[in-house]
Amino acid sequence: MAARDYGQYGGITQALELVGERWALLIVRDLLVGPRRYGELAAGLPRIPSNILAARLKELQAAGILRRVPHSRVIVYELTPYGHELEPVVLALGAWGYKTLGDPREEQIITPDSMTMDLRTAFRSEVAADLPSTAYSARLGAAELLIRVRGSALDVSRGDGVADLAFCAGPDIRRLISGELSPHRAIQTGVVEVLRGRGELLDRFATTFHLAA
């Protein structure tokens, strides 16, 4: 049972009592990418105190949102079907927050899981369905991701790989995704550095991944 009790009866109140505690939704966000060991969750949320991470995991497990399961001789945490129902909520919340996302502070980082979920949030499947299948290798802050778009399907995995376009970008990539910068201007100003492949494919990336700020 979460520590917060609003003393009200209703769906929104119940939801906030289950996932409204600090860090809870970020744990859910990372588990939406895939099952994680305790240490992987801690590494992906470097500012969370260990006692708070342990408490949140216990609370989310008690609520039926996640479970502990054995995997390759270790214990991992994964979302239950009930927990996976939070995905559209998390994506919608990400799109809402993006509207007022300013310049990053010096201490703010990009993690592979946070960027994966940001890409899922910005992905326009209906647009991608009419475009050729494309693979992007992207270094985004500390995250190195292989982004495969096949029709309306998106697959994002960690690491490098065979790609049509490889590029490097920092947090300012939000200016490309929001349309504030054109792909040509993003390359020209150094917001995006093309590492290999045809630079014009960045136009396709910006068309496929877009969130209005």
Side-chain angles (χ1 to χ4, degrees):
M1 181 68 176
R4 180 176 287 123
D5 182 351
Y6 293 101
Q8 296 182 11
Y9 182 79
I12 294 176
T13 305
Q14 173 73 356
L16 288 176
E17 288 183 357
L18 294 180
V19 295
E21 294 290 342
R22 192 176 186 197
W23 298 104
L25 273 180
L26 292 183
I27 293 170
V28 171
R29 178 202 66 186
D30 287 1
L31 290 179
L32 281 168
V33 178
R36 294 286 181 266
R37 298 193 300 270
Y38 182 94
E40 290 173 327
L41 287 170
L45 301 168
R47 288 197 174 189
I48 189 171
S50 59
N51 64 317
I52 297 298
L53 175 57
R56 293 294 170 268
L57 290 171
K58 287 180 181 178
E59 291 163 2
L60 292 169
Q61 184 176 358
I65 294 167
L66 61 79
R67 59 194 168 204
R68 297 170 77 248
V69 295
H71 178 73
S72 300
R73 299 183 180 180
V74 298
I75 297 296
V76 299
Y77 294 87
E78 67 177 17
L79 294 177
T80 63
Y82 182 50
H84 272 286
E85 290 178 15
L86 282 165
E87 181 166 4
V89 177
V90 172
L91 295 179
L93 194 60
W96 182 76
Y98 196 86
K99 294 179 184 295
T100 54
L101 190 64
D103 293 331
R105 298 190 300 274
E106 185 176 345
E107 72 276 12
Q108 289 182 312
I109 63 171
I110 296 175
T111 68
D113 288 345
S114 70
M115 181 50 70
T116 295
M117 292 305 294
D118 284 347
L119 288 169
R120 286 189 192 176
T121 301
F123 182 57
R124 300 199 290 177
S125 58
E126 71 286 356
V127 172
D130 296 326
L131 296 173
S133 295
T134 311
Y136 307 92
S137 178
R139 296 178 193 168
L140 303 165
E144 191 166 349
L145 300 173
L146 183 61
I147 306 159
R148 298 185 184 94
V149 180
R150 299 184 182 93
S152 59
L154 170 65
D155 177 70
V156 182
S157 57
R158 295 192 185 190
D160 201 356
V162 177
D164 302 291
L165 173 66
F167 66 89
C168 179
D172 268 353
I173 194 173
R174 69 173 181 83
R175 299 171 65 195
L176 173 67
I177 292 174
S178 69
E180 181 183 339
L181 277 183
S182 68
H184 173 75
R185 186 65 177 158
I187 294 172
Q188 189 178 54
T189 58
V191 168
V192 173
E193 178 188 357
V194 174
L195 302 175
R196 61 181 184 272
R198 295 182 292 117
E200 58 265 29
L201 286 177
L202 195 64
D203 288 270
R204 188 179 300 171
F205 178 88
T207 300
T208 303
F209 298 93
H210 178 75
L211 274 175

